[in-house]
Amino acid sequence: MTEGPPAPDKEIIAAHGLSEEEYALIEKRLGRPPNITELGIFSVMWSEHCSYKSSRIWLKKLPTEATWVICGPGENAGVIDIGDGQAAVFKMESHNHPSFIEPYQGAATGVGGILRDVFTMGARPVASMNALRFGAPEHPKTRHLVSGVISGIGGYGNCIGIPTIGGECNFHSAYDGNILVNAMTVGIADKERIFYSAAAGIGHPVVYVGSKTGRDGIHGATMASAEFDADSEEKRPTVQVGDPFTEKLVMEACLELMATDAILGIQDMGAAGLTCSSVEMVSKGGTGLELDLDRVPTREEGMTPYEIMLSESQERMLMVLKPGSEDIAREIFMKWDLDFAIVGNITDTGRMVLKSGERIVGDLPVSPLVDDAPVYDRPYERSERPTSIASEQLIADIAPLEALDILLASPDLCAKRWIWEQYDHMVMADTILRPGGDAGVVRVHGSNKGLAITTDCTPRYCFAHPKSGGAQAVAETWRNLTAVGARPLAITDCLNFGNPERPEVMGQFVGCIEGMAEACKVLDFPVISGNVSFYNETKGVSILPTPAIGGVGLINDIDRMTCIAFAAPGERILLIGETAGHLSTSIYARELKGREDGPPPQIDLATEWRNGHFVRGLIQEGRVTACHDVSDGGLLVAVAEMVLAALDEGRAIGARIDLPDDGPPPTAWCFGEDQARYIVTAPEEAIQTIFDDAAQKKIIINAIGFSGGSTLTLGPTDAISLDELKHAHEDWLPEYMAATNGREGSGD
């Protein structure tokens, strides 16, 4: 018999995030009431965060296979083949709720968790990214949250020595009460030495390594599975505390042990800590286990079995070792000054048995914890595509270059240098393209290959029409990789939504998944890992649907790579793709007219495929000198970003852009956010062959101007100086963070 009081009352059950129906199912599976420790274990394993009970049936619609996919969803991270016996290992995770409550530690431990997901697979992390969404700049908490999150990401990543090479950061009032902090890491491994989590070998030792267990992070998974309310600040104790220096030691010790033949299974202790790691290992291995909780290293006196099993203290790992390997493993972890303890063994019972002294404090069948977790087919409401809005209704009474000046200084389009300069993006000395472009690129160490990495999503499109928005998020990620010359290989995702129990929110999720699935299939861009984060809302107010996409692509020869910066004056500027001047849901319409209504741009995936392959061919053949995809802000913003990128590299190269004689109104042509478009530059002698190839492949291409000069000129005479562009682009964020620009709120 296990220890414990009688059946928990309704208040305790509700505090664990379980419905009455779910609790009744637990009693049925056990044949008795659970004790408090067992209740806690069920509550985290059946939480939304761990069980995906509202999303599981829809995630199956995503394509996950390709000839280059070694491991798809279900492990700590996904794995793809990048040739030469090497594999890229990557994943994206959310740490939204903890980062809102305690921004520094929430963001820092989000970075630590995603790093462990990657090196647990046997890969050395080589680069990180992040996708951040904050509330309106004028909201009183926004500046405090930005400061804490950026410091947390930089503090953890810089200390552990992994470069952060890019990401995205947007502001919108929908995130006032629930920011999003999504972290992505990519690692490289020998494809024949990938480590998995399944426990195997009856009687084999279960080993705990890393930091000691404390009381921080208890109920972290449960907190991530509920919306915020008036008492959110009281949840601060559920936020984990990270130590990047210990994580560095854990990583090096694990990689050293992985070079031996000692490990049979390995799992990091992330959400739900020792509970989730041990249950996942034995459920995948079809085994059982006994754990002696008295052997678990703890840093606080009198910790209960409940606290030990549910703690989310950081920098901890669980392993199953081959018998006889214990001394080798112990020696390695002691060398790195880390805790090492044999805490149990694998059994053939199919049960998790927890002991403390002579008492059995928990005895649970493993299968119900995983296989019997509830799966909900929740009601949902589809969103109809909004009625189109005529461009004339969305055009402000302002000249295009005046509008450009305003847009470049807007929170979403301004330079994010203030952010990424706090990250060490050059550590390890393999960063080829730093933050600020379409994708970051790192050299595969010791080779001439490169991995291109990007994150992207346009939440306003997803809100306007979820299916279109989901497809666009995948397509733009694909374009970002293509624009640097990479072959897009696979994605990871972080699907951030509100309360799935509300049909309109569930409809947003369903629509985004359908759009993502369609885009992944057409673009041959499978999903190999990811994360679902529901309940991102406060007092019933939801975030915008935000299916953040992280993409990885391969550059076979980094000498045939390009970036967004103009390379030289006197080159032709070419626009690839059709421009209809779609202004509804654009940054222009929001910033200049205060409107966010209307449909998102149309997504033509066949055109995306065709245009992307054409552009990638031009880059790989060395026929273009710069490339940038056209996205937020439209064509004129993209040209300005190319000018500014060159200026940042010490080349003052302006541009002259010629307005077309026909087509959409000039403002719509300049700022419309039509998809499947790229801007490239090429020397005059290459232009004719590029146009000939485009005609043969039925690619829409137009020459729109020349690089050069000391201004950005639109039409015959309208011009803006490079210095004015630079100040408009770079001043807003540092001034905002210094609270000197007048848009700040009432305080931090």
Side-chain angles (χ1 to χ4, degrees):
M1 288 291 293
T2 62
E3 70 159 20
D9 60 29
K10 290 184 178 181
E11 188 174 328
I12 292 175
I13 293 167
H16 281 77
L18 294 164
S19 68
E20 291 183 18
E21 293 78 12
E22 288 171 341
Y23 178 75
L25 183 60
I26 291 170
E27 281 202 350
K28 181 178 179 181
R29 293 291 186 263
L30 289 180
R32 58 175 172 81
N35 66 32
I36 191 64
T37 300
E38 294 168 333
L39 181 71
I41 290 170
F42 264 105
S43 77
V44 293
M45 292 306 301
W46 284 15
S47 69
E48 192 74 61
H49 190 75
C50 294
S51 74
Y52 294 86
K53 56 190 175 186
S54 297
S55 60
R56 202 182 311 178
I57 62 173
W58 294 102
L59 295 175
K60 293 177 182 178
K61 292 182 175 291
L62 297 172
T64 60
E65 297 180 348
T67 56
W68 54 88
V69 174
I70 295 172
C71 176
E75 275 291 339
N76 289 290
V79 187
I80 55 174
D81 191 333
I82 59 171
D84 304 308
Q86 295 174 310
V89 180
F90 60 97
K91 191 181 182 185
M92 196 176 195
E93 276 272 10
S94 63
H95 231 223
N96 304 333
H97 284 53
S99 298
F100 184 81
I101 294 170
E102 178 51 63
Y104 184 95
Q105 289 296 347
T109 53
V111 173
I114 200 65
L115 287 167
R116 287 195 303 280
D117 281 338
V118 168
F119 72 71
T120 299
M121 302 288 292
R124 179 171 290 279
V126 296
S128 289
M129 283 245 170
N130 51 71
L132 311 175
R133 266 87 192 180
F134 296 102
E138 58 270 18
H139 190 275
K141 287 197 70 169
T142 297
R143 192 183 308 103
H144 161 71
L145 292 168
V146 172
S147 177
V149 165
I150 301 307
S151 296
I153 292 170
Y156 206 100
N158 295 352
C159 289
I160 200 170
I162 308 298
T164 300
I165 64 168
E168 54 179 338
C169 177
N170 302 135
F171 297 82
H172 194 280
S173 59
Y175 305 101
D176 283 350
N178 199 125
I179 64 174
L180 301 184
V181 176
N182 298 168
M184 176 183 177
T185 291
V186 181
I188 294 178
D190 180 338
K191 75 173 189 177
E192 302 300 328
R193 297 286 293 171
I194 305 297
F195 288 80
Y196 298 99
S197 58
I202 307 305
H204 291 181
V206 177
V207 172
Y208 171 118
V209 299
S211 290
K212 289 180 168 59
T213 295
R215 291 189 171 97
D216 55 315
I218 295 173
H219 288 310
T222 306
M223 176 189 68
S225 305
E227 63 183 80
F228 282 148
D229 54 29
D231 300 322
S232 295
E233 292 295 330
E234 297 177 10
K235 297 178 180 177
R236 196 173 301 271
T238 64
V239 178
Q240 308 92 330
V241 177
D243 180 352
F245 299 105
T246 299
E247 178 109 334
K248 172 68 171 175
L249 301 179
V250 173
M251 180 177 71
E252 296 300 341
C254 286
L255 292 174
E256 182 176 340
L257 185 59
M258 286 167 172
T260 72
D261 198 30
I263 299 175
L264 290 174
I266 181 170
Q267 175 75 39
D268 83 292
M269 294 191 215
L274 184 55
T275 287
C276 197
S277 57
S278 57
V279 170
E280 287 188 1
M281 292 183 78
V282 295
S283 67
K284 289 175 183 176
T287 57
L289 84 164
E290 287 188 359
L291 289 178
D292 185 343
L293 300 186
D294 292 346
R295 297 183 182 180
V296 173
T298 58
R299 64 169 180 258
E300 299 182 47
E301 292 293 328
M303 289 190 68
T304 66
Y306 180 98
E307 292 172 327
I308 291 171
M309 291 303 295
L310 271 66
S311 167
E312 292 186 9
S313 295
Q314 298 291 285
E315 294 91 36
R316 301 179 300 158
M317 309 287 282
L318 200 64
M319 300 178 180
V320 177
L321 299 181
K322 288 184 177 179
S325 305
E326 297 92 332
D327 289 343
I328 296 172
R330 182 183 289 106
E331 183 178 340
I332 289 173
F333 281 92
M334 289 181 67
K335 181 185 77 173
W336 289 99
D337 198 23
L338 296 166
D339 278 288
F340 175 96
I342 299 172
V343 295
N345 60 278
I346 300 300
T347 69
D348 62 359
T349 64
R351 302 185 71 83
M352 170 190 276
V353 178
L354 310 177
K355 296 181 177 180
S356 178
E358 299 300 317
R359 300 171 300 145
I360 295 177
V361 295
D363 187 351
L364 299 169
V366 172
S367 179
L369 291 169
V370 180
D371 301 331
D372 292 347
V375 177
Y376 295 126
D377 185 359
R378 296 196 184 276
Y380 62 90
E381 296 175 0
R382 289 193 180 276
S383 301
E384 297 297 326
R385 187 174 177 85
T387 304
S388 295
I389 301 173
S391 294
E392 291 75 14
Q393 298 180 41
L394 299 172
I395 294 175
D397 186 17
I398 184 173
L401 287 186
E402 291 180 72
L404 176 65
D405 197 49
I406 293 170
L407 291 179
L408 289 177
S410 66
D412 280 2
L413 294 180
C414 73
K416 302 303 189 295
R417 182 188 301 274
W418 182 90
I419 293 175
W420 58 257
E421 283 190 340
Q422 297 186 54
Y423 306 152
D424 189 342
H425 51 276
M426 299 303 292
V427 67
M428 299 178 75
D430 278 322
T431 302
I432 307 299
L433 281 185
R434 65 181 184 176
D438 287 317
V441 178
V442 290
R443 181 196 303 270
V444 177
H445 193 73
S447 77
N448 216 42
K449 295 189 301 188
L451 286 181
I453 309 163
T454 188
T455 61
D456 224 308
C457 181
T458 312
R460 62 185 186 277
Y461 294 170
C462 297
F463 181 77
H465 187 239
K467 185 174 181 181
S468 297
Q472 190 274 342
V474 172
E476 187 171 346
T477 302
W478 193 84
R479 279 202 307 275
N480 288 339
L481 299 173
T482 295
V484 299
R487 176 193 167 205
L489 290 177
I491 68 172
T492 182
D493 58 47
C494 204
L495 308 177
N496 308 274
F497 292 81
N499 185 343
E501 297 166 49
R502 294 201 287 128
E504 64 271 25
V505 170
M506 198 64 209
Q508 293 171 347
F509 181 81
V510 170
C512 286
I513 287 287
E514 290 175 341
M516 289 171 56
E518 187 176 328
C520 289
K521 289 172 186 173
V522 173
L523 300 176
D524 207 8
F525 203 26
V527 181
I528 65 163
S529 60
N531 166 241
V532 177
S533 177
F534 277 134
Y535 296 98
N536 289 290
E537 59 181 69
T538 300
K539 299 179 183 177
V541 178
S542 175
I543 63 164
L544 298 178
T546 310
I549 306 297
V552 173
L554 179 65
I555 301 173
N556 289 321
D557 181 357
I558 57 175
D559 293 330
R560 290 299 176 95
M561 176 192 73
T562 192
C563 64
I564 73 172
F566 282 161
E571 296 193 328
R572 294 287 285 275
I573 302 173
L574 308 178
L575 173 62
I576 294 167
E578 184 174 9
T579 299
H582 186 98
L583 281 178
S584 63
T585 66
S586 68
I587 296 283
Y588 177 94
R590 187 180 75 193
E591 296 294 326
L592 275 298
K593 294 289 285 186
R595 294 187 61 167
E596 300 186 58
D597 54 333
Q602 293 284 352
I603 310 298
D604 184 335
L605 295 168
T607 300
E608 289 279 6
W609 173 268
R610 187 168 60 250
N611 290 358
H613 279 277
F614 177 72
V615 168
R616 195 178 309 111
L618 294 179
I619 295 171
Q620 292 172 350
E621 293 160 12
R623 297 162 70 187
V624 296
T625 57
C627 181
H628 190 12
D629 88 305
V630 182
S631 56
D632 284 353
L635 184 159
L636 196 57
V637 167
V639 171
E641 289 171 342
M642 298 175 84
V643 168
L644 290 164
L647 193 62
D648 191 44
E649 294 179 3
R651 299 189 299 277
I653 304 172
R656 191 197 80 204
I657 302 300
D658 301 317
L659 290 166
D661 295 329
D662 53 16
T667 294
W669 185 82
C670 288
F671 302 111
E673 296 183 4
D674 307 284
Q675 300 294 292
R677 296 186 299 162
Y678 302 80
I679 294 174
V680 299
T681 56
E684 189 66 37
E685 61 269 20
I687 297 301
Q688 189 58 54
T689 60
I690 292 174
F691 271 79
D692 290 345
D693 286 354
Q696 183 180 1
K697 295 171 182 174
K698 296 182 171 54
I699 303 293
I700 294 175
I701 184 170
N702 289 282
I704 61 171
F706 290 88
S707 63
S710 58
T711 63
L712 172 54
T713 302
L714 182 65
T717 58
D718 200 5
I720 185 170
S721 72
L722 302 190
D723 188 59
E724 187 174 351
L725 280 179
K726 180 180 175 66
H727 282 295
H729 194 228
E730 296 200 355
D731 289 354
W732 184 83
L733 187 55
E735 287 181 358
Y736 170 74
M737 293 308 297
T740 61
N741 77 323
R743 285 189 68 166
E744 69 273 16
S746 59
D748 290 346

